[in-house]
Amino acid sequence: MRLALPEDDETLGGLDRATWSTLHAVTPRARPPYQPFFTENSEPGDHLLAVTGDGRILGYVKLARPTPLASNAHVRQIQGLAVATEARGTGVGRLLIRAAVEEARRRGALRLSLRVLGHNTPARRLYEAEGFVVEGVQPGEFLLDGEYVDDVLMGRTL
């Protein structure tokens, strides 16, 4: 595990495009010309990477503050998770979630939250196995592939 670096931009953008699916994405599939992966609202230091011994990136988790409010500074939120297709089922996602929990604690957070689409059963099972509980559901929040999909709010105490 390591924090992302500015030079990871192209690789992470490629990973995002390769793993895009309405199982977890609420935005349209990216089309060329591609936008940079990192932006002023999504910087390298917000991303933890799972990497192989030779430096190949297998996945990332984005850990950020849910709002800029001082009254919410004790909370961190997982705002993205992607695992390369060839690394799925090998425990990379679980390692990323655990790394996010530890990094959130290191940054002084007392709570960790996330949002997951209701039909994303594999992700929901992973989050539940790592101590997250459903704290709310926004029914039919997104229209994806002609179907209304719930937005499930999950969280855990650190």
PDB file of all heavy atoms in Angstrom, residues 8-38:
ATOM      1  N   ASP A   8       0.814   8.948 -11.073  1.00  0.00           N
ATOM      2  CA  ASP A   8      -0.128   7.818 -11.178  1.00  0.00           C
ATOM      3  C   ASP A   8      -1.403   8.202 -11.926  1.00  0.00           C
ATOM      4  O   ASP A   8      -2.263   7.355 -12.167  1.00  0.00           O
ATOM      5  CB  ASP A   8      -0.508   7.312  -9.779  1.00  0.00           C
ATOM      6  CG  ASP A   8       0.667   6.726  -9.026  1.00  0.00           C
ATOM      7  OD1 ASP A   8       1.476   6.010  -9.649  1.00  0.00           O
ATOM      8  OD2 ASP A   8       0.773   6.996  -7.815  1.00  0.00           O
ATOM      9  N   ASP A   9      -1.539   9.467 -12.303  1.00  0.00           N
ATOM     10  CA  ASP A   9      -2.770   9.976 -12.909  1.00  0.00           C
ATOM     11  C   ASP A   9      -3.240   9.125 -14.090  1.00  0.00           C
ATOM     12  O   ASP A   9      -4.387   8.668 -14.119  1.00  0.00           O
ATOM     13  CB  ASP A   9      -2.577  11.426 -13.349  1.00  0.00           C
ATOM     14  CG  ASP A   9      -3.863  12.049 -13.840  1.00  0.00           C
ATOM     15  OD1 ASP A   9      -4.222  11.854 -15.025  1.00  0.00           O
ATOM     16  OD2 ASP A   9      -4.519  12.735 -13.044  1.00  0.00           O
ATOM     17  N   GLU A  10      -2.393   8.905 -15.063  1.00  0.00           N
ATOM     18  CA  GLU A  10      -2.792   8.175 -16.275  1.00  0.00           C
ATOM     19  C   GLU A  10      -3.166   6.733 -15.965  1.00  0.00           C
ATOM     20  O   GLU A  10      -4.161   6.218 -16.476  1.00  0.00           O
ATOM     21  CB  GLU A  10      -1.662   8.237 -17.305  1.00  0.00           C
ATOM     22  CG  GLU A  10      -2.078   7.712 -18.660  1.00  0.00           C
ATOM     23  CD  GLU A  10      -0.993   7.912 -19.699  1.00  0.00           C
ATOM     24  OE1 GLU A  10      -0.347   8.977 -19.712  1.00  0.00           O
ATOM     25  OE2 GLU A  10      -0.806   6.986 -20.503  1.00  0.00           O
ATOM     26  N   THR A  11      -2.393   6.081 -15.121  1.00  0.00           N
ATOM     27  CA  THR A  11      -2.678   4.685 -14.766  1.00  0.00           C
ATOM     28  C   THR A  11      -4.012   4.572 -14.034  1.00  0.00           C
ATOM     29  O   THR A  11      -4.811   3.681 -14.330  1.00  0.00           O
ATOM     30  CB  THR A  11      -1.546   4.111 -13.897  1.00  0.00           C
ATOM     31  OG1 THR A  11      -0.324   4.196 -14.635  1.00  0.00           O
ATOM     32  CG2 THR A  11      -1.821   2.665 -13.514  1.00  0.00           C
ATOM     33  N   LEU A  12      -4.269   5.478 -13.102  1.00  0.00           N
ATOM     34  CA  LEU A  12      -5.529   5.429 -12.348  1.00  0.00           C
ATOM     35  C   LEU A  12      -6.721   5.777 -13.244  1.00  0.00           C
ATOM     36  O   LEU A  12      -7.791   5.176 -13.114  1.00  0.00           O
ATOM     37  CB  LEU A  12      -5.465   6.342 -11.130  1.00  0.00           C
ATOM     38  CG  LEU A  12      -4.481   5.863 -10.053  1.00  0.00           C
ATOM     39  CD1 LEU A  12      -4.365   6.894  -8.946  1.00  0.00           C
ATOM     40  CD2 LEU A  12      -4.893   4.517  -9.504  1.00  0.00           C
ATOM     41  N   GLY A  13      -6.536   6.700 -14.156  1.00  0.00           N
ATOM     42  CA  GLY A  13      -7.593   6.999 -15.115  1.00  0.00           C
ATOM     43  C   GLY A  13      -7.913   5.780 -15.965  1.00  0.00           C
ATOM     44  O   GLY A  13      -9.085   5.458 -16.214  1.00  0.00           O
ATOM     45  N   GLY A  14      -6.878   5.070 -16.393  1.00  0.00           N
ATOM     46  CA  GLY A  14      -7.079   3.840 -17.170  1.00  0.00           C
ATOM     47  C   GLY A  14      -7.784   2.762 -16.364  1.00  0.00           C
ATOM     48  O   GLY A  14      -8.660   2.055 -16.876  1.00  0.00           O
ATOM     49  N   LEU A  15      -7.419   2.630 -15.097  1.00  0.00           N
ATOM     50  CA  LEU A  15      -8.069   1.659 -14.218  1.00  0.00           C
ATOM     51  C   LEU A  15      -9.545   2.000 -14.069  1.00  0.00           C
ATOM     52  O   LEU A  15     -10.409   1.123 -14.146  1.00  0.00           O
ATOM     53  CB  LEU A  15      -7.377   1.623 -12.857  1.00  0.00           C
ATOM     54  CG  LEU A  15      -7.993   0.723 -11.791  1.00  0.00           C
ATOM     55  CD1 LEU A  15      -7.963  -0.735 -12.229  1.00  0.00           C
ATOM     56  CD2 LEU A  15      -7.282   0.906 -10.469  1.00  0.00           C
ATOM     57  N   ASP A  16      -9.848   3.267 -13.859  1.00  0.00           N
ATOM     58  CA  ASP A  16     -11.245   3.693 -13.749  1.00  0.00           C
ATOM     59  C   ASP A  16     -12.040   3.350 -15.006  1.00  0.00           C
ATOM     60  O   ASP A  16     -13.153   2.837 -14.931  1.00  0.00           O
ATOM     61  CB  ASP A  16     -11.316   5.196 -13.486  1.00  0.00           C
ATOM     62  CG  ASP A  16     -11.735   5.532 -12.081  1.00  0.00           C
ATOM     63  OD1 ASP A  16     -11.808   4.623 -11.232  1.00  0.00           O
ATOM     64  OD2 ASP A  16     -11.998   6.715 -11.822  1.00  0.00           O
ATOM     65  N   ARG A  17     -11.458   3.638 -16.155  1.00  0.00           N
ATOM     66  CA  ARG A  17     -12.164   3.353 -17.408  1.00  0.00           C
ATOM     67  C   ARG A  17     -12.342   1.851 -17.621  1.00  0.00           C
ATOM     68  O   ARG A  17     -13.385   1.395 -18.089  1.00  0.00           O
ATOM     69  CB  ARG A  17     -11.436   4.001 -18.581  1.00  0.00           C
ATOM     70  CG  ARG A  17     -11.512   5.538 -18.537  1.00  0.00           C
ATOM     71  CD  ARG A  17     -10.940   6.181 -19.782  1.00  0.00           C
ATOM     72  NE  ARG A  17      -9.513   5.971 -19.969  1.00  0.00           N
ATOM     73  CZ  ARG A  17      -8.560   6.692 -19.389  1.00  0.00           C
ATOM     74  NH1 ARG A  17      -8.872   7.683 -18.563  1.00  0.00           N
ATOM     75  NH2 ARG A  17      -7.293   6.446 -19.636  1.00  0.00           N
ATOM     76  N   ALA A  18     -11.325   1.063 -17.260  1.00  0.00           N
ATOM     77  CA  ALA A  18     -11.386  -0.392 -17.452  1.00  0.00           C
ATOM     78  C   ALA A  18     -12.393  -1.054 -16.524  1.00  0.00           C
ATOM     79  O   ALA A  18     -12.962  -2.094 -16.871  1.00  0.00           O
ATOM     80  CB  ALA A  18      -9.994  -0.997 -17.242  1.00  0.00           C
ATOM     81  N   THR A  19     -12.623  -0.483 -15.356  1.00  0.00           N
ATOM     82  CA  THR A  19     -13.520  -1.103 -14.370  1.00  0.00           C
ATOM     83  C   THR A  19     -14.904  -0.465 -14.348  1.00  0.00           C
ATOM     84  O   THR A  19     -15.751  -0.869 -13.558  1.00  0.00           O
ATOM     85  CB  THR A  19     -12.904  -1.039 -12.960  1.00  0.00           C
ATOM     86  OG1 THR A  19     -12.674   0.320 -12.592  1.00  0.00           O
ATOM     87  CG2 THR A  19     -11.600  -1.835 -12.894  1.00  0.00           C
ATOM     88  N   TRP A  20     -15.154   0.530 -15.213  1.00  0.00           N
ATOM     89  CA  TRP A  20     -16.437   1.233 -15.209  1.00  0.00           C
ATOM     90  C   TRP A  20     -17.584   0.249 -15.425  1.00  0.00           C
ATOM     91  O   TRP A  20     -17.526  -0.645 -16.269  1.00  0.00           O
ATOM     92  CB  TRP A  20     -16.477   2.295 -16.301  1.00  0.00           C
ATOM     93  CG  TRP A  20     -17.740   3.104 -16.269  1.00  0.00           C
ATOM     94  CD1 TRP A  20     -17.929   4.276 -15.623  1.00  0.00           C
ATOM     95  CD2 TRP A  20     -18.990   2.775 -16.878  1.00  0.00           C
ATOM     96  NE1 TRP A  20     -19.235   4.716 -15.792  1.00  0.00           N
ATOM     97  CE2 TRP A  20     -19.901   3.797 -16.564  1.00  0.00           C
ATOM     98  CE3 TRP A  20     -19.434   1.716 -17.661  1.00  0.00           C
ATOM     99  CZ2 TRP A  20     -21.221   3.805 -16.996  1.00  0.00           C
ATOM    100  CZ3 TRP A  20     -20.754   1.704 -18.093  1.00  0.00           C
ATOM    101  CH2 TRP A  20     -21.625   2.747 -17.761  1.00  0.00           C
ATOM    102  N   SER A  21     -18.643   0.426 -14.627  1.00  0.00           N
ATOM    103  CA  SER A  21     -19.838  -0.406 -14.733  1.00  0.00           C
ATOM    104  C   SER A  21     -20.974   0.291 -13.995  1.00  0.00           C
ATOM    105  O   SER A  21     -20.731   0.965 -12.986  1.00  0.00           O
ATOM    106  CB  SER A  21     -19.582  -1.775 -14.094  1.00  0.00           C
ATOM    107  OG  SER A  21     -20.782  -2.445 -13.829  1.00  0.00           O
ATOM    108  N   THR A  22     -22.201   0.107 -14.469  1.00  0.00           N
ATOM    109  CA  THR A  22     -23.341   0.669 -13.742  1.00  0.00           C
ATOM    110  C   THR A  22     -23.606  -0.101 -12.451  1.00  0.00           C
ATOM    111  O   THR A  22     -24.499   0.270 -11.698  1.00  0.00           O
ATOM    112  CB  THR A  22     -24.611   0.709 -14.611  1.00  0.00           C
ATOM    113  OG1 THR A  22     -24.869  -0.595 -15.119  1.00  0.00           O
ATOM    114  CG2 THR A  22     -24.462   1.711 -15.751  1.00  0.00           C
ATOM    115  N   LEU A  23     -22.833  -1.134 -12.174  1.00  0.00           N
ATOM    116  CA  LEU A  23     -22.932  -1.795 -10.880  1.00  0.00           C
ATOM    117  C   LEU A  23     -22.493  -0.834  -9.778  1.00  0.00           C
ATOM    118  O   LEU A  23     -22.988  -0.891  -8.658  1.00  0.00           O
ATOM    119  CB  LEU A  23     -22.067  -3.063 -10.849  1.00  0.00           C
ATOM    120  CG  LEU A  23     -22.146  -3.910  -9.591  1.00  0.00           C
ATOM    121  CD1 LEU A  23     -23.558  -4.453  -9.393  1.00  0.00           C
ATOM    122  CD2 LEU A  23     -21.147  -5.054  -9.670  1.00  0.00           C
ATOM    123  N   HIS A  24     -21.557   0.075 -10.109  1.00  0.00           N
ATOM    124  CA  HIS A  24     -21.063   1.006  -9.091  1.00  0.00           C
ATOM    125  C   HIS A  24     -20.965   2.453  -9.559  1.00  0.00           C
ATOM    126  O   HIS A  24     -20.812   3.350  -8.734  1.00  0.00           O
ATOM    127  CB  HIS A  24     -19.688   0.555  -8.579  1.00  0.00           C
ATOM    128  CG  HIS A  24     -18.655   0.472  -9.649  1.00  0.00           C
ATOM    129  ND1 HIS A  24     -17.980   1.561 -10.091  1.00  0.00           N
ATOM    130  CD2 HIS A  24     -18.208  -0.579 -10.381  1.00  0.00           C
ATOM    131  CE1 HIS A  24     -17.145   1.196 -11.052  1.00  0.00           C
ATOM    132  NE2 HIS A  24     -17.274  -0.097 -11.251  1.00  0.00           N
ATOM    133  N   ALA A  25     -21.023   2.715 -10.853  1.00  0.00           N
ATOM    134  CA  ALA A  25     -20.847   4.081 -11.356  1.00  0.00           C
ATOM    135  C   ALA A  25     -22.191   4.735 -11.652  1.00  0.00           C
ATOM    136  O   ALA A  25     -23.073   4.116 -12.240  1.00  0.00           O
ATOM    137  CB  ALA A  25     -19.997   4.064 -12.619  1.00  0.00           C
ATOM    138  N   VAL A  26     -22.327   5.988 -11.249  1.00  0.00           N
ATOM    139  CA  VAL A  26     -23.555   6.736 -11.519  1.00  0.00           C
ATOM    140  C   VAL A  26     -23.331   7.789 -12.602  1.00  0.00           C
ATOM    141  O   VAL A  26     -24.269   8.453 -13.021  1.00  0.00           O
ATOM    142  CB  VAL A  26     -24.127   7.381 -10.234  1.00  0.00           C
ATOM    143  CG1 VAL A  26     -24.513   6.304  -9.235  1.00  0.00           C
ATOM    144  CG2 VAL A  26     -23.142   8.361  -9.619  1.00  0.00           C
ATOM    145  N   THR A  27     -22.099   7.932 -13.040  1.00  0.00           N
ATOM    146  CA  THR A  27     -21.773   8.866 -14.115  1.00  0.00           C
ATOM    147  C   THR A  27     -21.635   8.091 -15.423  1.00  0.00           C
ATOM    148  O   THR A  27     -21.345   6.888 -15.411  1.00  0.00           O
ATOM    149  CB  THR A  27     -20.457   9.608 -13.817  1.00  0.00           C
ATOM    150  OG1 THR A  27     -19.423   8.639 -13.631  1.00  0.00           O
ATOM    151  CG2 THR A  27     -20.580  10.471 -12.574  1.00  0.00           C
ATOM    152  N   PRO A  28     -21.827   8.762 -16.552  1.00  0.00           N
ATOM    153  CA  PRO A  28     -21.673   8.060 -17.841  1.00  0.00           C
ATOM    154  C   PRO A  28     -20.244   7.572 -18.037  1.00  0.00           C
ATOM    155  O   PRO A  28     -19.298   8.104 -17.451  1.00  0.00           O
ATOM    156  CB  PRO A  28     -22.009   9.135 -18.874  1.00  0.00           C
ATOM    157  CG  PRO A  28     -22.720  10.213 -18.137  1.00  0.00           C
ATOM    158  CD  PRO A  28     -22.245  10.152 -16.714  1.00  0.00           C
ATOM    159  N   ARG A  29     -20.099   6.570 -18.892  1.00  0.00           N
ATOM    160  CA  ARG A  29     -18.769   6.057 -19.242  1.00  0.00           C
ATOM    161  C   ARG A  29     -17.954   7.196 -19.860  1.00  0.00           C
ATOM    162  O   ARG A  29     -18.454   7.957 -20.679  1.00  0.00           O
ATOM    163  CB  ARG A  29     -18.893   4.914 -20.247  1.00  0.00           C
ATOM    164  CG  ARG A  29     -17.565   4.285 -20.631  1.00  0.00           C
ATOM    165  CD  ARG A  29     -17.735   3.217 -21.695  1.00  0.00           C
ATOM    166  NE  ARG A  29     -18.519   2.088 -21.255  1.00  0.00           N
ATOM    167  CZ  ARG A  29     -18.034   1.017 -20.615  1.00  0.00           C
ATOM    168  NH1 ARG A  29     -16.748   0.969 -20.312  1.00  0.00           N
ATOM    169  NH2 ARG A  29     -18.822   0.028 -20.266  1.00  0.00           N
ATOM    170  N   ALA A  30     -16.712   7.318 -19.434  1.00  0.00           N
ATOM    171  CA  ALA A  30     -15.830   8.366 -19.958  1.00  0.00           C
ATOM    172  C   ALA A  30     -15.551   8.136 -21.436  1.00  0.00           C
ATOM    173  O   ALA A  30     -15.433   6.992 -21.890  1.00  0.00           O
ATOM    174  CB  ALA A  30     -14.518   8.393 -19.169  1.00  0.00           C
ATOM    175  N   ARG A  31     -15.460   9.214 -22.154  1.00  0.00           N
ATOM    176  CA  ARG A  31     -15.147   9.184 -23.589  1.00  0.00           C
ATOM    177  C   ARG A  31     -13.964  10.123 -23.851  1.00  0.00           C
ATOM    178  O   ARG A  31     -13.813  11.140 -23.177  1.00  0.00           O
ATOM    179  CB  ARG A  31     -16.345   9.664 -24.405  1.00  0.00           C
ATOM    180  CG  ARG A  31     -17.617   8.878 -24.179  1.00  0.00           C
ATOM    181  CD  ARG A  31     -17.667   7.688 -25.102  1.00  0.00           C
ATOM    182  NE  ARG A  31     -18.931   6.981 -24.908  1.00  0.00           N
ATOM    183  CZ  ARG A  31     -19.019   5.701 -24.617  1.00  0.00           C
ATOM    184  NH1 ARG A  31     -17.937   4.993 -24.480  1.00  0.00           N
ATOM    185  NH2 ARG A  31     -20.181   5.112 -24.462  1.00  0.00           N
ATOM    186  N   PRO A  32     -13.153   9.814 -24.853  1.00  0.00           N
ATOM    187  CA  PRO A  32     -12.038  10.713 -25.186  1.00  0.00           C
ATOM    188  C   PRO A  32     -12.561  12.072 -25.637  1.00  0.00           C
ATOM    189  O   PRO A  32     -13.653  12.138 -26.194  1.00  0.00           O
ATOM    190  CB  PRO A  32     -11.337  10.004 -26.344  1.00  0.00           C
ATOM    191  CG  PRO A  32     -11.815   8.578 -26.287  1.00  0.00           C
ATOM    192  CD  PRO A  32     -13.172   8.614 -25.663  1.00  0.00           C
ATOM    193  N   PRO A  33     -11.829  13.121 -25.406  1.00  0.00           N
ATOM    194  CA  PRO A  33     -10.558  13.160 -24.679  1.00  0.00           C
ATOM    195  C   PRO A  33     -10.819  13.011 -23.183  1.00  0.00           C
ATOM    196  O   PRO A  33     -11.744  13.611 -22.640  1.00  0.00           O
ATOM    197  CB  PRO A  33     -10.008  14.554 -25.004  1.00  0.00           C
ATOM    198  CG  PRO A  33     -11.234  15.386 -25.250  1.00  0.00           C
ATOM    199  CD  PRO A  33     -12.253  14.457 -25.840  1.00  0.00           C
ATOM    200  N   TYR A  34     -10.024  12.189 -22.541  1.00  0.00           N
ATOM    201  CA  TYR A  34     -10.221  11.901 -21.128  1.00  0.00           C
ATOM    202  C   TYR A  34      -9.751  13.052 -20.255  1.00  0.00           C
ATOM    203  O   TYR A  34      -8.732  13.679 -20.524  1.00  0.00           O
ATOM    204  CB  TYR A  34      -9.485  10.621 -20.731  1.00  0.00           C
ATOM    205  CG  TYR A  34      -9.978   9.419 -21.489  1.00  0.00           C
ATOM    206  CD1 TYR A  34      -9.122   8.692 -22.311  1.00  0.00           C
ATOM    207  CD2 TYR A  34     -11.302   9.009 -21.386  1.00  0.00           C
ATOM    208  CE1 TYR A  34      -9.578   7.579 -23.000  1.00  0.00           C
ATOM    209  CE2 TYR A  34     -11.765   7.904 -22.079  1.00  0.00           C
ATOM    210  CZ  TYR A  34     -10.902   7.198 -22.884  1.00  0.00           C
ATOM    211  OH  TYR A  34     -11.360   6.102 -23.581  1.00  0.00           O
ATOM    212  N   GLN A  35     -10.508  13.291 -19.197  1.00  0.00           N
ATOM    213  CA  GLN A  35     -10.147  14.298 -18.210  1.00  0.00           C
ATOM    214  C   GLN A  35      -9.079  13.719 -17.289  1.00  0.00           C
ATOM    215  O   GLN A  35      -8.995  12.505 -17.109  1.00  0.00           O
ATOM    216  CB  GLN A  35     -11.382  14.684 -17.378  1.00  0.00           C
ATOM    217  CG  GLN A  35     -12.497  15.291 -18.199  1.00  0.00           C
ATOM    218  CD  GLN A  35     -12.060  16.577 -18.871  1.00  0.00           C
ATOM    219  OE1 GLN A  35     -11.509  17.464 -18.235  1.00  0.00           O
ATOM    220  NE2 GLN A  35     -12.279  16.670 -20.178  1.00  0.00           N
ATOM    221  N   PRO A  36      -8.259  14.566 -16.655  1.00  0.00           N
ATOM    222  CA  PRO A  36      -7.282  14.056 -15.687  1.00  0.00           C
ATOM    223  C   PRO A  36      -7.992  13.323 -14.546  1.00  0.00           C
ATOM    224  O   PRO A  36      -9.115  13.674 -14.176  1.00  0.00           O
ATOM    225  CB  PRO A  36      -6.590  15.315 -15.164  1.00  0.00           C
ATOM    226  CG  PRO A  36      -6.852  16.360 -16.192  1.00  0.00           C
ATOM    227  CD  PRO A  36      -8.175  16.015 -16.810  1.00  0.00           C
ATOM    228  N   PHE A  37      -7.354  12.311 -14.017  1.00  0.00           N
ATOM    229  CA  PHE A  37      -7.901  11.574 -12.878  1.00  0.00           C
ATOM    230  C   PHE A  37      -7.893  12.468 -11.644  1.00  0.00           C
ATOM    231  O   PHE A  37      -8.867  12.540 -10.907  1.00  0.00           O
ATOM    232  CB  PHE A  37      -7.081  10.302 -12.630  1.00  0.00           C
ATOM    233  CG  PHE A  37      -7.613   9.455 -11.504  1.00  0.00           C
ATOM    234  CD1 PHE A  37      -8.662   8.577 -11.709  1.00  0.00           C
ATOM    235  CD2 PHE A  37      -7.059   9.547 -10.233  1.00  0.00           C
ATOM    236  CE1 PHE A  37      -9.160   7.803 -10.667  1.00  0.00           C
ATOM    237  CE2 PHE A  37      -7.546   8.779  -9.187  1.00  0.00           C
ATOM    238  CZ  PHE A  37      -8.597   7.904  -9.411  1.00  0.00           C
ATOM    239  N   PHE A  38      -6.767  13.143 -11.418  1.00  0.00           N
ATOM    240  CA  PHE A  38      -6.652  14.025 -10.258  1.00  0.00           C
ATOM    241  C   PHE A  38      -7.183  15.411 -10.609  1.00  0.00           C
ATOM    242  O   PHE A  38      -6.936  15.924 -11.703  1.00  0.00           O
ATOM    243  CB  PHE A  38      -5.204  14.131  -9.777  1.00  0.00           C
ATOM    244  CG  PHE A  38      -4.627  12.816  -9.308  1.00  0.00           C
ATOM    245  CD1 PHE A  38      -3.471  12.315  -9.872  1.00  0.00           C
ATOM    246  CD2 PHE A  38      -5.246  12.084  -8.306  1.00  0.00           C
ATOM    247  CE1 PHE A  38      -2.938  11.114  -9.445  1.00  0.00           C
ATOM    248  CE2 PHE A  38      -4.722  10.873  -7.876  1.00  0.00           C
ATOM    249  CZ  PHE A  38      -3.567  10.393  -8.446  1.00  0.00           C
TER     250      PHE A  38
END
